[in-house]
Amino acid sequence: MSRQVVRSSKFRHVFGQPAKADQCYEDVRVSQTTWDSGFCAVNPKFVALICEASGGGAFLVLPLGKTGRVDKNVPTVCGHTAPVLDIAWCPHNDNVIASGSEDCTVMVWEIPDGGLTLPLREPVVTLEGHTKRVGIVAWHPTAQNILLSAGCDNVILVWDVGTGAAVLTLGPDVHPDTIYSVDWSRDGALICTSCRDKRVRIIEPRKGTVIAEKDRPHEGTRPVHAVFVSEGKILTTGFSRMSERQVALWDTKHLEEPLSLQELDTSSGVLLPFFDPDTNIVYLCGKGDSSIRYFEITSEAPFLHYLSMFSSKESQRGMGYMPKRGLEVNKCEIARFYKLHERKCEPIAMTVPRKSDLFQEDLYPPTAGPDPALTAEEWLGGQDAGPLLISLKDGYVPPKSRELRVNRGLDSTRRRAALEASGTPSSDAVSRLEEEIKKLQTTVQELQKRLDRLEETVQAK
């Protein structure tokens, strides 16, 4: 009788641990909009989530440590005139966030350290170019100030936020129907897209050329999502013809047949994949699900290995994923999700059980740091570079807050908006006020002199 050998993996026993009640963000009104994005974005400083707003679109930004019940009058980022559909933090500046909205615009915001004290209505820059709602925003992983947006006009625009201009356009000739997902490769040389025309495409955005595509990676009619994973592979989630949810792994050089195809269940929620390149683990979170599945990707058959599943009682409305530099390495935390309930945001830590409190080098290889590897001009000129890596051995020390510079005459608007949000008057504003006060004082003195002369005239008569 042959005994089945269990595959050895240091991630076999990874388990999910939801935060205690006092570490959650309570009483937040999560957006009711039906759109297949995570509705939440997280970085080592802030958690942002799309919330319900009357008369426009808004999202909430809270410092990570500001847990507990959220005041119903807490200030929001509320410059959009229609619901916000997607938000994304800049990987190179933890105070900068981009948002896409049904009002056809993309806006880039600068959040002051410590969070907002007043509603933020003026963005750093407004990026206008789409003719229909913008459902996807994604920052370039290694080039500074490069932002991608995809709209329901079937157009992908790549922006240089530093100038506020669209520098690349992939028109409806590339995607003839609604774009479901867009993902950058690790070095930002390629993008991977899924579309309503049932095709997954790998595109070189600077040339505008499709270098590979796969028709019907999943037979079903529901949306497909695709992400780049390690070693030139992509992972897709979708549905079979019988509406069973599937996950598949593909080699981008041989897209005829999948390396691995697994059927999961018959739920109807679209699966959002989150890939961790440091551990080669992919996490699948379905909107409307109450679970997070996770798989390990290896370089040998069968390539995609099911690890485990975190389950809870309440279903999720959305999900945010913390970058590796925001995790607690002394607790062997390898991922952290921010699960959106109807009125709550709940952190869930994914942990490898280890007895030692010492730094575990095998769990934390050097990871992507906050510094860009390229300027926008270098990337647009054809250069590619992987992320600049940092070690987490001594913990992550965030750099000083950086200022986002926009060379389009909008610096004064940005400063005014940031200062308005922080409630602090700028030196320019103070000097302008002092000048106004001097003018008023001079006017009062002149009026007093005229009054004195009139009184003298009356007395003389």
Side-chain angles (χ1 to χ4, degrees), residues 144-159:
Q144 190 171 25
N145 287 349
I146 294 291
L147 175 67
L148 176 150
S149 64
C152 290
D153 51 5
N154 311 335
V155 172
I156 289 177
L157 294 174
V158 178
W159 308 86

mmCIF file of all heavy atoms in Angstrom, residues 144-159:
data_model
loop_
_atom_site.group_PDB
_atom_site.id
_atom_site.type_symbol
_atom_site.label_atom_id
_atom_site.label_comp_id
_atom_site.label_asym_id
_atom_site.label_seq_id
_atom_site.Cartn_x
_atom_site.Cartn_y
_atom_site.Cartn_z
ATOM 1 N N GLN A 144 8.256 56.627 -10.485
ATOM 2 C CA GLN A 144 7.648 57.695 -9.689
ATOM 3 C C GLN A 144 6.559 58.425 -10.484
ATOM 4 O O GLN A 144 6.736 58.747 -11.661
ATOM 5 C CB GLN A 144 8.730 58.696 -9.277
ATOM 6 C CG GLN A 144 8.253 59.721 -8.256
ATOM 7 C CD GLN A 144 9.408 60.537 -7.725
ATOM 8 O OE1 GLN A 144 10.424 60.689 -8.388
ATOM 9 N NE2 GLN A 144 9.287 61.048 -6.514
ATOM 10 N N ASN A 145 5.415 58.652 -9.818
ATOM 11 C CA ASN A 145 4.331 59.490 -10.342
ATOM 12 C C ASN A 145 3.652 58.939 -11.594
ATOM 13 O O ASN A 145 2.952 59.676 -12.296
ATOM 14 C CB ASN A 145 4.832 60.919 -10.659
ATOM 15 C CG ASN A 145 5.093 61.720 -9.403
ATOM 16 O OD1 ASN A 145 4.714 61.302 -8.313
ATOM 17 N ND2 ASN A 145 5.757 62.855 -9.535
ATOM 18 N N ILE A 146 3.807 57.637 -11.887
ATOM 19 C CA ILE A 146 3.097 57.043 -13.019
ATOM 20 C C ILE A 146 1.848 56.340 -12.482
ATOM 21 O O ILE A 146 1.937 55.469 -11.613
ATOM 22 C CB ILE A 146 3.989 56.049 -13.795
ATOM 23 C CG1 ILE A 146 5.148 56.790 -14.468
ATOM 24 C CG2 ILE A 146 3.174 55.277 -14.825
ATOM 25 C CD1 ILE A 146 4.754 57.699 -15.613
ATOM 26 N N LEU A 147 0.691 56.731 -13.012
ATOM 27 C CA LEU A 147 -0.594 56.206 -12.546
ATOM 28 C C LEU A 147 -1.402 55.729 -13.743
ATOM 29 O O LEU A 147 -1.494 56.423 -14.763
ATOM 30 C CB LEU A 147 -1.358 57.304 -11.791
ATOM 31 C CG LEU A 147 -2.781 56.968 -11.323
ATOM 32 C CD1 LEU A 147 -2.743 55.890 -10.240
ATOM 33 C CD2 LEU A 147 -3.467 58.230 -10.780
ATOM 34 N N LEU A 148 -2.004 54.552 -13.608
ATOM 35 C CA LEU A 148 -2.857 54.002 -14.666
ATOM 36 C C LEU A 148 -4.315 54.094 -14.239
ATOM 37 O O LEU A 148 -4.646 53.883 -13.064
ATOM 38 C CB LEU A 148 -2.461 52.551 -14.919
ATOM 39 C CG LEU A 148 -3.265 51.714 -15.916
ATOM 40 C CD1 LEU A 148 -2.359 50.672 -16.573
ATOM 41 C CD2 LEU A 148 -4.450 50.995 -15.265
ATOM 42 N N SER A 149 -5.184 54.399 -15.192
ATOM 43 C CA SER A 149 -6.625 54.388 -14.913
ATOM 44 C C SER A 149 -7.341 53.697 -16.060
ATOM 45 O O SER A 149 -6.930 53.803 -17.224
ATOM 46 C CB SER A 149 -7.162 55.812 -14.723
ATOM 47 O OG SER A 149 -7.028 56.564 -15.916
ATOM 48 N N ALA A 150 -8.400 52.963 -15.726
ATOM 49 C CA ALA A 150 -9.207 52.281 -16.734
ATOM 50 C C ALA A 150 -10.661 52.667 -16.523
ATOM 51 O O ALA A 150 -11.158 52.646 -15.389
ATOM 52 C CB ALA A 150 -9.035 50.770 -16.627
ATOM 53 N N GLY A 151 -11.324 53.029 -17.620
ATOM 54 C CA GLY A 151 -12.703 53.491 -17.526
ATOM 55 C C GLY A 151 -13.666 52.595 -18.276
ATOM 56 O O GLY A 151 -13.264 51.692 -19.024
ATOM 57 N N CYS A 152 -14.952 52.848 -18.063
ATOM 58 C CA CYS A 152 -15.989 52.103 -18.771
ATOM 59 C C CYS A 152 -16.148 52.594 -20.211
ATOM 60 O O CYS A 152 -17.047 52.145 -20.922
ATOM 61 C CB CYS A 152 -17.307 52.196 -18.012
ATOM 62 S SG CYS A 152 -17.260 51.279 -16.462
ATOM 63 N N ASP A 153 -15.281 53.533 -20.637
ATOM 64 C CA ASP A 153 -15.195 53.899 -22.052
ATOM 65 C C ASP A 153 -14.241 52.956 -22.785
ATOM 66 O O ASP A 153 -13.899 53.209 -23.950
ATOM 67 C CB ASP A 153 -14.737 55.357 -22.202
ATOM 68 C CG ASP A 153 -13.476 55.659 -21.387
ATOM 69 O OD1 ASP A 153 -12.915 54.716 -20.794
ATOM 70 O OD2 ASP A 153 -13.067 56.830 -21.341
ATOM 71 N N ASN A 154 -13.805 51.868 -22.107
ATOM 72 C CA ASN A 154 -12.907 50.845 -22.667
ATOM 73 C C ASN A 154 -11.528 51.399 -22.986
ATOM 74 O O ASN A 154 -10.819 50.869 -23.848
ATOM 75 C CB ASN A 154 -13.507 50.193 -23.924
ATOM 76 C CG ASN A 154 -14.945 49.753 -23.719
ATOM 77 O OD1 ASN A 154 -15.363 49.496 -22.589
ATOM 78 N ND2 ASN A 154 -15.714 49.690 -24.787
ATOM 79 N N VAL A 155 -11.137 52.460 -22.300
ATOM 80 C CA VAL A 155 -9.855 53.116 -22.526
ATOM 81 C C VAL A 155 -8.992 52.992 -21.265
ATOM 82 O O VAL A 155 -9.488 53.147 -20.142
ATOM 83 C CB VAL A 155 -10.049 54.606 -22.888
ATOM 84 C CG1 VAL A 155 -8.707 55.344 -22.935
ATOM 85 C CG2 VAL A 155 -10.761 54.740 -24.229
ATOM 86 N N ILE A 156 -7.699 52.693 -21.467
ATOM 87 C CA ILE A 156 -6.718 52.747 -20.383
ATOM 88 C C ILE A 156 -5.833 53.959 -20.634
ATOM 89 O O ILE A 156 -5.282 54.117 -21.732
ATOM 90 C CB ILE A 156 -5.864 51.467 -20.325
ATOM 91 C CG1 ILE A 156 -6.706 50.280 -19.835
ATOM 92 C CG2 ILE A 156 -4.660 51.653 -19.399
ATOM 93 C CD1 ILE A 156 -5.960 48.956 -19.804
ATOM 94 N N LEU A 157 -5.719 54.825 -19.633
ATOM 95 C CA LEU A 157 -4.832 55.989 -19.716
ATOM 96 C C LEU A 157 -3.719 55.836 -18.695
ATOM 97 O O LEU A 157 -3.958 55.421 -17.554
ATOM 98 C CB LEU A 157 -5.613 57.283 -19.442
ATOM 99 C CG LEU A 157 -6.680 57.684 -20.474
ATOM 100 C CD1 LEU A 157 -7.456 58.898 -19.988
ATOM 101 C CD2 LEU A 157 -6.054 57.971 -21.822
ATOM 102 N N VAL A 158 -2.497 56.163 -19.106
ATOM 103 C CA VAL A 158 -1.361 56.197 -18.185
ATOM 104 C C VAL A 158 -0.969 57.654 -18.019
ATOM 105 O O VAL A 158 -0.716 58.359 -19.005
ATOM 106 C CB VAL A 158 -0.179 55.362 -18.715
ATOM 107 C CG1 VAL A 158 1.005 55.462 -17.760
ATOM 108 C CG2 VAL A 158 -0.587 53.898 -18.881
ATOM 109 N N TRP A 159 -0.955 58.114 -16.760
ATOM 110 C CA TRP A 159 -0.740 59.528 -16.439
ATOM 111 C C TRP A 159 0.626 59.738 -15.811
ATOM 112 O O TRP A 159 1.113 58.894 -15.058
ATOM 113 C CB TRP A 159 -1.799 60.016 -15.440
ATOM 114 C CG TRP A 159 -3.209 59.751 -15.819
ATOM 115 C CD1 TRP A 159 -3.931 58.610 -15.575
ATOM 116 C CD2 TRP A 159 -4.100 60.641 -16.496
ATOM 117 N NE1 TRP A 159 -5.201 58.739 -16.059
ATOM 118 C CE2 TRP A 159 -5.350 59.979 -16.630
ATOM 119 C CE3 TRP A 159 -3.976 61.940 -16.998
ATOM 120 C CZ2 TRP A 159 -6.452 60.560 -17.243
ATOM 121 C CZ3 TRP A 159 -5.080 62.528 -17.607
ATOM 122 C CH2 TRP A 159 -6.299 61.843 -17.730
#
